[in-house]
Structure formats: C-alpha cells, structure tokens
Amino acid sequence: MKKWLISSCILLFSNALFAEESNQFEIGKQKAKVCMTCHGVDGIATIDPYPNLRGQRASYLISALKDYKSRERTSGLAILMQQQADALTDQDMKDIAHYYSTLGSESHSKTE
C-alpha cells in the first residue's frame, strides 16, 4: 500500500511539473515573437550577424539579456538588443530563455 501511494504521488508530481514546463514553454513562445524577427522562427537565425538561440542554456540567455539591459554588452549590434531588453521584466527573460533552451528538445518537438 505504501509503495502504491508513493508511486502515485511521484506520478502526480511529475505530471504537474510537465504541465508547468509546457505552460512556460508556450508563454515564452508568445513573448519571443519579437525575437523571431532576427533570430528566426525556429531559433535559427537566417541573417549572419544574429546568433542562433535554439538550444542555448537558459542561464546563458538570461545572463545575456540582463547584460544588454544593464549596458554591459555594447559591441556589434548590441544597441538593438539593449532596446529589446529594456522592455523585458525578469520573468519575461526567464520565460523567453526557457522557450529557446527547450526549443527542439524531444519534449517540445511536437509543439513546434
């Protein structure tokens, strides 16, 4: 009985986590629409100077966005990213980073 109860709790918890992650993916996808202009609809940039975002680590993306917002990044086309980052909250950055970091992964390949 105890094993069944523990197994049931684990299953319910994992389903809740998957639903939350799926929600964050969709929220991030909506927030990333403006990013898609330069970084591509699928996170693969079609124009040389713009980096690919698909599959990047979320922590890296968040750090980069914060650096643009604080004007720590200034080279190249940084002025464009600074303007975009200015409009983002910390939660926006987390959602967008989650979207791009999981884009193309097995769990989200069906939703692309």
Side-chain angles (χ1 to χ4, degrees), residues 20-36 41 53 65 88 91-103 108:
E20 185 178 319
E21 181 180 313
S22 182
N23 244 1
Q24 188 177 19
F25 180 84
E26 289 303 319
I27 290 167
K29 183 177 183 178
Q30 291 306 311
K31 291 179 180 181
K33 290 217 182 269
V34 69
C35 308
M36 294 174 188
V41 174
L53 300 182
L65 287 168
L88 300 175
Q91 187 60 52
D92 293 336
M93 291 179 193
K94 289 176 187 173
D95 293 336
I96 291 168
H98 176 79
Y99 170 71
Y100 280 115
S101 68
T102 57
L103 187 62
H108 291 292

Side-chain angles (χ1 to χ4, degrees), residues 25-86:
F25 180 84
E26 289 303 319
I27 290 167
K29 183 177 183 178
Q30 291 306 311
K31 291 179 180 181
K33 290 217 182 269
V34 69
C35 308
M36 294 174 188
T37 304
C38 299
H39 297 285
V41 174
D42 60 354
I44 305 298
T46 56
I47 303 169
D48 247 4
Y50 302 113
N52 297 329
L53 300 182
R54 181 187 191 110
Q56 283 284 1
R57 292 178 188 244
S59 59
Y60 169 77
L61 293 170
I62 292 167
S63 176
L65 287 168
K66 286 183 177 185
D67 286 349
Y68 283 120
K69 192 170 187 169
S70 69
R71 305 303 191 259
E72 294 292 318
R73 285 192 175 203
T74 57
S75 62
L77 299 170
I79 193 161
L80 298 174
M81 281 303 302
Q82 290 168 353
Q83 293 169 355
Q84 295 301 318
D86 284 346

Side-chain angles (χ1 to χ4, degrees), residues 12-24 107-108 111:
L12 287 172
F13 182 69
S14 64
N15 284 341
L17 283 178
F18 179 75
E20 185 178 319
E21 181 180 313
S22 182
N23 244 1
Q24 188 177 19
S107 62
H108 291 292
T111 60

